[in-house]
Structures are given as structure tokens and as C-alpha cells.
Amino acid sequence: MNSDKPQLPLVQVKGSWEERIAHTARLLGQDDPAALAQSQALIDRLGRLPAQQRAAADHRLDHALMLALQNQARYHAAEERYADAAATLRHGARYFSGETAKDMETVAMSYLLCDGQTTTALDTLATLAADGDIDGWAELVSAAMRSGEFDYAHRGLEQAQRWVNQTYQAALNAPAAKRDQALLANLRARYAVSRGNIAEAVAWYEHAMTLDDFFGNNPSFLYRRLVNMGADAE
């Protein structure tokens, strides 16, 4: 199931899975003592259904299961039980495959970062990135910078550079290659800003602007970061 695909609204027919999920979400919102047990039971029952059955009707029950997992994870996070939020998504990821499972694992790591489990989260993001594309390395570098783990962020940048070089080799002028090089240049600009290297940040972002119109049309992405750190004179 592609997690980027627009999802159809869940129709709440009385007695349907969607209605039960909505009811459970209300209980979670009300902090009902029975809410968590009911939520987990709902997740377990949906998870036990054959994957083919969940995938029917444009993945209707896959979407229902994902919503139930997200509701429970958000409930834990709202109570600052970040490890439980992460565990909910990591447990739920086994019901999915491909990019959807990886996306769930990535979000789970953001909860572990909130829980202070920085090394575990960054190590896991690095493992996920090694089996993916530049977006995974971008996720790792961003998480490392948010956590103040700049050595880890720097290693992630170098791994991203290796990925670009190995993936495109002699085709660095291809549109996809230029897009990914621009993303990497933007990451390097953000890293330079975080380390207070303003001139280097500007140079990297200007390089990204030459490679991809998205960055070329949005110089404010860098300017806002510079202003936020008091470097508006640049």
C-alpha cells in the first residue's frame, strides 16, 4: 500500500470497522480507562485478517488498520509516553510492507527521539536509509541535527553523497540526479547553518538553486534559517 496515495474518507456505517475505530478514538480522547485495551483489541483483530482481505476495495481495511494504529500512537504521544507510541507503530509495521512499513518505522523513530533514545533512533534511521534512497539519508541527517548530534549528521551527509555518486555515476546531469544533488546541497546548507558557517551555507544553497527549480524559486527557505539565527545581514 502506498502511504502517499490519497485515502478515501472512511465511511462510518454502523457496526463497521470504521465506526468501531471512530468510537475507540472518541474513548481515547476522553481518557476512558477501557480505551487502550479496546484500541489494541481492534488493531489485533484487523491485523489477523488475511492481507488479501485488507487490500480489497482499494485497501479499505489497510487504511482502517493504519488509522487505528495512528490513533493509538498519537494518544500515547499526547500522554508523553513516546516509547509506547513508537512500539505501537513498530508493532503495526509488520502488517504492511515496502515503503509503508519503512515510513511507519521512520515515524516511530521520531517518537524514540522524543523519548531520549537518540542512539537507537539514529542507528535505526541509518539502517533504513542504507536500504533506500536519498530521502532516507535526508531523514537521518535532519533527525541528527534536531538532536544536536552533528557528528552523526556529518556522517549521514557523506553517506548521502556516496549514494548519489554510486546511483548516478556518469549520469549526474540527468533530471533525477540533479534533483537529488539539489536535495543534498540543501542538506549541506542546513548543516552549515547549524554549525554557524554562514558563507558555506549560502554557497551550498545557491548550488541547490542552480540544480533544481524548486530551490531556485524558494530562496526564502535559507533566508528564514539565517534570520532565525540572527544572520540576517548575510
Side-chain angles (χ1 to χ4, degrees):
M1 181 179 67
N2 186 346
S3 61
D4 294 329
K5 182 177 179 179
Q7 297 186 12
L8 297 175
L10 295 179
V11 180
Q12 296 178 22
V13 177
K14 187 173 178 60
S16 68
W17 288 107
E18 291 83 2
E19 193 274 336
R20 288 179 237 175
I21 290 169
H23 174 69
T24 302
R26 287 192 295 272
L27 294 181
L28 289 170
Q30 296 163 4
D31 233 359
D32 188 292
L36 266 179
Q38 185 166 323
S39 174
Q40 191 58 57
L42 196 56
I43 289 168
D44 291 342
R45 289 183 64 190
L46 278 164
R48 284 195 296 269
L49 294 176
Q52 187 174 4
Q53 183 177 343
R54 292 200 310 271
D58 199 23
H59 291 277
R60 171 182 161 242
L61 297 185
D62 275 332
H63 293 319
L65 175 56
M66 179 67 76
L67 182 59
L69 289 162
Q70 290 171 339
N71 287 344
Q72 183 166 304
R74 289 169 184 153
Y75 171 77
H76 283 308
E79 297 293 318
E80 299 185 356
R81 295 196 295 263
Y82 300 114
D84 290 337
T88 295
L89 293 183
R90 298 188 86 177
H91 169 81
R94 64 181 179 164
Y95 299 125
F96 299 90
S97 61
E99 290 303 308
T100 299
K102 287 182 65 174
D103 288 347
M104 293 176 72
E105 188 80 7
T106 298
V107 176
M109 292 308 101
S110 70
Y111 285 131
L112 284 192
L113 287 172
C114 292
D115 194 55
Q117 299 186 48
T118 306
T119 300
T120 298
L122 295 180
D123 284 347
T124 302
L125 288 174
T127 299
L128 293 171
D131 190 35
D133 56 23
I134 197 170
D135 290 335
W137 293 115
E139 189 70 42
L140 169 63
V141 171
S142 297
M145 287 193 291
R146 288 196 304 270
S147 304
E149 297 289 339
F150 296 108
D151 287 344
Y152 218 124
H154 184 265
R155 291 197 299 273
L157 286 170
E158 296 310 304
Q159 291 285 355
Q161 184 68 67
R162 277 192 283 275
W163 183 89
V164 167
N165 293 342
Q166 292 171 2
T167 299
Y168 298 109
Q169 297 182 10
L172 288 173
N173 287 323
K178 293 177 75 173
R179 181 195 62 229
D180 287 348
Q181 289 176 86
L183 176 58
L184 177 55
N186 176 56
L187 285 172
R188 290 193 181 279
R190 289 174 54 196
Y191 177 80
V193 169
S194 71
R195 307 308 290 152
N197 299 324
I198 306 307
E200 182 181 345
V202 171
W204 276 118
Y205 198 84
E206 288 177 343
H207 183 52
M209 293 171 71
T210 68
L211 291 167
D212 191 282
D213 287 343
F214 176 79
F215 295 106
N217 294 329
N218 292 283
S220 61
F221 287 172
L222 176 65
Y223 298 156
R224 282 198 299 267
R225 293 182 184 277
L226 295 178
V227 170
N228 288 340
M229 68 172 295
D232 48 299
E234 295 288 334

